[in-house]
Structure formats: structure tokens, C-alpha cells
Amino acid sequence: MKYENLKKFIISTKSSKSTIYRFYKKNEDLFIETKLSSGKRMFPVDHARYFDSEIMFDENKILRQENKSMRNLIDCLADKESFQHTFWQMDWSFFFTVAYKADRQKMSCFKQMHGLYDYLNEKYQDSTELRMFFTTEPFTNRKGFHNHFVVHIEDKKLHEKIISDIQEHFNYDRVDVSIYDRYKAGLFYMSKAGLNGEDWDFINN
């Protein structure tokens, strides 16, 4: 953890000495993270964000969204017969989002996902267990739809290669990928109010 002396911390936070010490008096748990060095109080650089109202607003907004998603997830998982509960129990490797350059409709997105799976399944066949679950959602700032999907790749030696294959398959579109986290990435579909028609599908070999 990096630290600053009071003079530098005042500049970083754009706050007065009295404001800084009032803050730590109200937040003793954070004051514990400060330290004394040669008789001078040193402040964690990371604490500067607590004095920035815009940053705190954004972080608070994210926390509210995550809390709402977690509540929705718990509600979904309460029904042990639901698809959401079944999918959540499965192992997944990666979470992807594909934002198409073209204004694709639901059925077009559905075909894109099946086309990707067929391509991977034909290429790797029995060399690894492969399964995919996807959902289709509308863009909020433009026409058309995009896809979120999770994949399970049993053979970890093939992880990097298959990620590269997926990115190349959608080389004209924007592809975001991250390691699957059942408490974060998985929330986007488990918190939905139902799964309908061509909005989703589960495919495995």
C-alpha cells in the first residue's frame, strides 16, 4: 500500500487538514490503515477516493446494482427446479459478450451463437468437453441485439486457443472476455425474469 504525508494528501484530496481529520474521526476503521513514520502521520493514497464525490457516487451506484443482482439471483436460485438454478450449478470457464457491428435481430443472434458452437465442436470434436449457454439482449443505446454467453472447456490446455478462435470468429465485432465468476458474470442471466424463445439456448456435445 502506498502512502502520502499530510501535505501531499491535502493536494490529492483537495481537502483541508481539518476536513481530513474529521473524516478519520468518523471512520476509525479507515484511520487504522494510516500509519506513523518518523513521528508523522501517513495516509494511504487509495483513501483519496473517499474525498471525491463523483468517484463515491459511481462506486455506490455499482454496489447498488450488484446488491440488486444478488437479491435477484437468490430469488431465482430459491426455485431448485428452474433453469437458472441448473445452469448456476454447472462449471463454466469463461464469460463472453459479443457486440455486433451490424444491427442484428434476435434470430440472427441465435444463429450466430449456434454457428460458433458448431464451428468449435467440429474443430475440437472429442478432444474436450464443450458446452455453451447464451442469452440475447437488446442494446440500450442503438438498434439491434447482442449476446452474452458462457462456455465450459474441460481441457484447460485448450483455453487460450479456443478464446483466440472465438475472437477470430467475431473479428468484425467487439468481443469482451473474462474468467467466469459465478457470483458476478453469471448474474446477468440468472437474474432475468424468465428465459423465452430465441432469447437463449444451452448447447453441449
Side-chain angles (χ1 to χ4, degrees), residues 2 10 13 23 41 43 57 60 65 77 80 116 124 139 141 157 165 182 185 191-192 196 204:
K2 294 183 178 180
I10 287 174
T13 61
F23 170 81
R41 180 65 57 183
F43 303 87
F57 175 81
N60 188 45
Q65 291 172 338
L77 296 183
K80 295 185 178 181
L116 169 64
Y124 294 98
F139 286 108
N141 59 346
K157 294 179 181 178
D165 287 338
R182 70 193 312 214
S191 303
K192 299 297 181 187
N196 303 296
N204 66 334

Side-chain angles (χ1 to χ4, degrees), residues 143-194:
K143 295 180 179 179
F145 292 77
H146 60 280
N147 283 114
H148 298 296
F149 65 96
V150 285
V151 293
H152 172 68
I153 306 163
E154 185 68 25
D155 188 346
K156 293 183 178 180
K157 294 179 181 178
L158 294 175
H159 279 187
E160 289 187 12
K161 185 169 179 56
I162 291 179
I163 288 175
S164 180
D165 287 338
I166 293 172
Q167 291 172 328
E168 179 61 27
H169 188 79
F170 296 111
N171 63 337
Y172 290 108
D173 307 302
R174 195 187 81 235
V175 179
D176 296 322
V177 58
S178 61
I179 295 174
Y180 176 77
D181 184 331
R182 70 193 312 214
Y183 299 109
K184 292 183 179 179
L187 295 179
F188 81 92
Y189 59 81
M190 295 170 200
S191 303
K192 299 297 181 187

Side-chain angles (χ1 to χ4, degrees), residues 13-200:
T13 61
K14 299 179 182 178
S15 301
S16 65
K17 177 181 177 180
S18 59
T19 297
I20 290 172
Y21 276 98
R22 278 199 304 270
F23 170 81
Y24 283 109
K25 187 175 182 179
K26 293 180 180 178
N27 299 276
E28 294 181 357
D29 56 323
L30 293 176
F31 183 74
I32 293 173
E33 296 181 8
T34 67
K35 68 178 184 179
L36 284 175
S37 178
S38 301
K40 294 184 178 180
R41 180 65 57 183
M42 304 294 290
F43 303 87
V45 172
D46 185 56
H47 283 193
R49 74 179 193 274
Y50 297 122
F51 296 85
D52 188 318
S53 59
E54 290 187 6
I55 291 177
M56 292 307 297
F57 175 81
D58 290 341
E59 290 186 355
N60 188 45
K61 182 178 179 180
I62 291 172
L63 285 174
R64 290 199 306 270
Q65 291 172 338
E66 290 181 348
N67 286 339
K68 182 179 180 180
S69 294
M70 186 59 70
R71 288 196 300 270
N72 291 340
L73 173 60
I74 292 171
D75 289 341
C76 287
L77 296 183
D79 181 2
K80 295 185 178 181
E81 302 300 320
S82 68
F83 283 122
Q84 289 94 334
H85 186 277
T86 300
F87 294 145
W88 193 73
Q89 293 291 338
M90 294 179 177
D91 291 328
W92 300 100
S93 306
F94 299 98
F95 169 69
F96 285 84
T97 296
V98 180
Y100 302 104
K101 185 176 181 179
D103 294 337
R104 296 189 182 278
Q105 296 304 305
K106 285 184 181 181
M107 183 53 70
S108 177
C109 292
F110 187 90
K111 291 179 179 178
Q112 288 292 317
M113 290 291 99
H114 274 268
L116 169 64
Y117 183 84
D118 290 343
Y119 162 71
L120 295 175
N121 192 43
E122 182 177 348
K123 182 173 183 177
Y124 294 98
Q125 298 184 13
D126 297 330
S127 60
T128 184
E129 180 185 350
L130 183 69
R131 64 171 176 264
M132 182 169 77
F133 174 71
F134 71 85
T135 62
T136 303
E137 293 184 348
F139 286 108
T140 58
N141 59 346
R142 49 169 277 205
K143 295 180 179 179
F145 292 77
H146 60 280
N147 283 114
H148 298 296
F149 65 96
V150 285
V151 293
H152 172 68
I153 306 163
E154 185 68 25
D155 188 346
K156 293 183 178 180
K157 294 179 181 178
L158 294 175
H159 279 187
E160 289 187 12
K161 185 169 179 56
I162 291 179
I163 288 175
S164 180
D165 287 338
I166 293 172
Q167 291 172 328
E168 179 61 27
H169 188 79
F170 296 111
N171 63 337
Y172 290 108
D173 307 302
R174 195 187 81 235
V175 179
D176 296 322
V177 58
S178 61
I179 295 174
Y180 176 77
D181 184 331
R182 70 193 312 214
Y183 299 109
K184 292 183 179 179
L187 295 179
F188 81 92
Y189 59 81
M190 295 170 200
S191 303
K192 299 297 181 187
L195 298 168
N196 303 296
E198 67 269 22
D199 289 355
W200 71 280

